[in-house]
Amino acid sequence: MIAKDTGRSGPTVYGILDRLEQDCWIDSEWEQQEDPANNRPRRRMYRLTKRGRTEAFDLLSERRPHCVRKLIAAIQAGRQ
């Protein structure tokens, strides 16, 4: 789904995800399938770590401040 959403090839996306995991920005785990007879491969699930959220926020603040303002507004709207 990430590759499709970004328009990047699978090897590019998975290379980036591997580096983010090595740098402790994300954690990952294999999906637990409820039905082993399901005929599809398990998916790898990724989640930002606390460090990853902080680093991503700092990077966005530096390079895309308008995105940070929108993100903060969306978070605040969700809390109300």
Side-chain angles (χ1 to χ4, degrees):
M1 185 161 185
I2 294 172
K4 183 179 176 184
D5 289 346
T6 62
R8 306 281 184 192
S9 69
T12 299
V13 170
Y14 292 112
I16 292 168
L17 289 170
D18 286 342
R19 285 192 298 275
L20 290 172
E21 193 163 21
Q22 288 170 1
D23 290 342
C24 299
W25 280 41
I26 61 174
D27 286 327
S28 67
E29 61 184 43
W30 286 104
E31 169 186 47
Q32 299 297 318
Q33 286 188 332
E34 299 297 322
D35 182 8
N38 188 341
N39 231 6
R40 68 169 175 75
R42 291 187 307 159
R43 295 177 288 190
R44 192 90 178 142
M45 310 303 275
Y46 296 91
R47 175 184 12 234
L48 276 171
T49 63
K50 184 176 180 180
R51 176 182 176 181
R53 285 189 298 273
T54 300
E55 296 284 346
F57 186 85
D58 291 347
L59 188 61
L60 280 172
S61 295
E62 177 185 319
R63 297 187 182 182
R64 303 271 197 276
H66 63 283
C67 292
V68 172
R69 288 190 294 273
K70 288 180 184 179
L71 179 61
I72 290 170
I75 291 169
Q76 289 173 340
R79 289 184 181 167
Q80 297 176 355

